[in-house]
Amino acid sequence: MPRAAVFLDRDGVINVCAPPHDYIKRWSEFQFLPQVDTAIAKLNKKRIYVFVVTNQRGVARGLMTVENVDDIHRHMRHSLMEKQAVIDDIFVCPHESGTCHCRKPDIGLFLQAEQQYDIDKTHSFMIGDSVGDIQAGKKYGITTISIGSTCFDGDYHFHDLNEAVDYILGGNIG
Ligand SMILES: [Mg+2]
Ligand SMILES: [Zn+2]
């Protein structure tokens, strides 16, 4: 049976963004945004896939390694797990802009997910805080939600992840 999926951008959705032109390079720099665990646990209860799709070109720029990113994600998943919140999978683009087909707004990360999981696209969402997230979600053909202070040209806009998830699960959209 295909299952709905919520694709989450990472920086600005799950955790506080690094300062402009910088990256989250180690776990000590990672800071969860409020109620992210609550929001993800709600999706888990409804058996909706939770995937992270994240651009991390700090790797291509030599500011961090793939191992650094993996280590951050190990800690992130472990911390969430302690709050009964499970991320089903994480897809990372470590490349420089214009050198691959996976960096959002391209949809390679979504296609990677689709190869491994049976996804019901008609009931799936992309949630992000930047224009590239919204463009990618649109290109992939799922409902798009922007969160944070800037409202992009997505289908919906909410203050934060938990608000967006409440709206999705409220049966208002999708
Ligand atoms: Mg972001
Ligand atoms: Zn890439």
Side-chain angles (χ1 to χ4, degrees):
M1 275 286 280
R3 285 161 61 183
V6 172
F7 292 88
L8 304 175
D9 173 46
R10 195 194 78 185
D11 301 322
V13 174
I14 294 177
N15 58 283
V16 178
C17 289
H21 311 296
D22 197 4
Y23 301 87
I24 304 295
K25 303 176 292 302
R26 56 187 66 84
W27 177 241
S28 60
E29 297 170 342
F30 188 100
Q31 195 187 338
F32 279 108
L33 286 163
Q35 291 188 287
V36 163
D37 51 332
T38 312
I40 291 174
K42 286 178 198 169
L43 294 170
N44 295 151
K45 279 209 184 76
K46 297 286 184 187
R47 292 184 42 79
I48 295 171
Y49 285 128
V50 178
F51 298 129
V52 172
V53 284
T54 179
N55 290 348
Q56 295 296 333
R57 89 174 146 188
V59 173
R61 295 185 169 185
L63 297 165
M64 57 188 176
T65 63
V66 170
E67 289 72 31
N68 295 145
V69 175
D70 286 347
D71 184 64
I72 290 165
H73 290 167
R74 205 162 27 245
H75 280 97
M76 176 178 84
R77 289 174 105 162
H78 182 78
S79 295
L80 289 170
M81 203 90 82
E82 287 180 329
K83 307 270 181 62
Q84 275 62 251
V86 176
I87 290 174
D88 291 288
D89 215 332
I90 302 177
F91 301 92
V92 180
C93 168
H95 308 118
E96 186 49 88
S97 182
T99 67
C100 71
H101 297 290
C102 56
R103 184 178 165 80
K104 294 173 289 180
D106 268 326
I107 60 166
L109 300 179
F110 298 78
L111 299 179
Q112 285 176 35
E114 203 177 81
Q115 281 174 2
Q116 296 176 48
Y117 300 91
D118 194 8
I119 298 169
D120 172 10
K121 274 177 73 174
T122 54
H123 297 102
S124 293
F125 297 86
M126 172 67 208
I127 303 179
D129 71 322
S130 73
V131 65
D133 298 322
I134 301 306
Q135 287 170 345
K138 283 188 172 180
K139 204 189 271 187
Y140 182 56
I142 57 178
T143 306
T144 55
I145 299 177
S146 60
I147 64 167
S149 52
T150 315
C151 180
F152 298 104
D153 193 23
D155 297 304
Y156 300 92
H157 179 81
F158 296 100
H159 174 66
D160 61 17
L161 179 60
N162 194 45
E163 250 185 39
V165 166
D166 280 345
Y167 201 69
I168 290 171
L169 298 181
N172 298 298
I173 50 180

